[in-house]
Amino acid sequence: MGKKSLVIVVILVWWYFWLALSEFSLTGLFPPSDYAKLLYLVFFFFLTSFAVLFNSKKIYRYFSIDAETFLKKEVLNKESLFFKFQIFLLFPLFVFFCIRGLYLLLYVYEINFYRSEVYGLNTGSSALFFNSHVISSIYELLAGPLLLLGLFLGFSFYIYLKRSRVLAISYILIVMDSVMSAGRFGYHYILYSLILIVLYQMFIKKKVLSWKSLLLGAFVFLSIFLLSVSVSIKRNKSTSPISGFMERFVIDYHTNSFTIFSQELDNPESGIHKYTYGRSTFSGLEKYAAVILRSFNYKVNSQSDVIGGELMVNRVVGWNQKWEGKYYNAFGSMFYSMYRDGGVLFVILYGILFGCCLSYFSNGLVSKNPFHLSILSALSFIGIYGIFQPVTTGPILPSIFLIILFYKLNLQKISNFIRNTVFNV
């Protein structure tokens, strides 16, 4: 596969490294069972095998990559429209809620209590959104997908057009979202996005980065990293700044999903054994249908909400140095949702599907097709952040759907129609 294997290699190295580290139980976490490890190996075996097979000429000729080309002028127009959408609509809204979040964080709540308040875990409603279920629901359904959409489109615009403004605004919006929610993952998204760009420049373009670029990149990387670290330490004041950070946020956070997945497999009462045949993995899209059906008084629960409830339960996943139980929750990894869909069979099917998709859209690394680059960056995020949680239950699948709409719809005609209609009225 050559250059096209970059993202696949990154995902494989990422998972195998942390899986191997989990075996040593460096921080007292229980190592995963042999059955759990076998499932990981089976999934990545089928992912790799079908990625290579799908890339062969005999199969690949049936999927013409050249049929999906875009004129540079068309992409320029799309980039300009999306940048205006970010500046004139998203930016003011995020600034408003970020300022409100900072006020609540500085003068009303402690950081740990504030984070629970933002998600309505304390009173059932969010003070950030004026205790309005409507506002918080709209934000939850739209903000996440739009933030990720900007990140993935920004990556493709940077590679294809050499324009970084959409990516830069996306970074700013993600930082504001992280501030208002006292979260960390937003900073991780920025760091990984920067790493992905550097890897592309080094291994695809074979470009030697200048000292100016390296220093600027290092400054941005370290700034975001230190910001993420400071948030982590503030949210966990009981841990010592250095050793506690390394144990909890470097090792535990990257390996405890292996333990939790293993425990759920061994527990016959776990929800992981209640097969949903696709609804769990694709629940990031299903929840929009559930919202619509609930508006017509149908009592429908999205599997993303069900999975969230199952994984929010604190459980003992190991022992600390004082032989006290180490409690974690929410770290189910994407294997939790995949296995929940239909056991080993669905783990294999998703490995095949993910491998074929990665192989197909990895051609964008060579062709610079902006549509394929956007989808590929989204798939890489699934591969990387799937180690922390069932990532497809969140906003990433809606963002992929928006990418497809963005590139397949004639946005210029739609924009002109709206402008002419409003003007005529």
Side-chain angles (χ1 to χ4, degrees), residues 80-138:
S80 178
L81 283 172
F82 190 79
F83 178 70
K84 292 175 182 176
F85 171 73
Q86 286 182 307
I87 290 295
F88 296 113
L89 184 60
L90 295 184
F91 192 78
L93 290 174
F94 276 83
V95 167
F96 173 79
F97 283 111
C98 185
I99 293 174
R100 177 170 174 79
L102 282 172
Y103 170 79
L104 294 174
L105 187 58
L106 294 174
Y107 298 106
V108 181
Y109 301 107
E110 290 288 334
I111 186 168
N112 288 327
F113 190 87
Y114 170 77
R115 181 163 172 80
S116 299
E117 180 63 27
V118 167
Y119 292 101
L121 300 178
N122 297 326
T123 60
S125 60
S126 174
L128 177 65
F129 302 112
F130 304 96
N131 296 310
S132 169
H133 292 288
V134 174
I135 297 176
S136 60
S137 296
I138 292 174

Side-chain angles (χ1 to χ4, degrees), residues 149-181:
L149 175 65
L151 200 61
F152 302 146
L153 292 179
F155 175 76
S156 69
F157 293 148
Y158 179 79
I159 300 301
Y160 184 70
L161 300 174
K162 294 182 174 59
R163 283 190 174 185
S164 59
R165 59 182 185 175
V166 168
L167 194 60
I169 293 296
S170 297
Y171 288 166
I172 294 171
L173 294 176
I174 289 172
V175 168
M176 286 194 288
D177 178 74
S178 299
V179 169
M180 72 176 77
S181 63

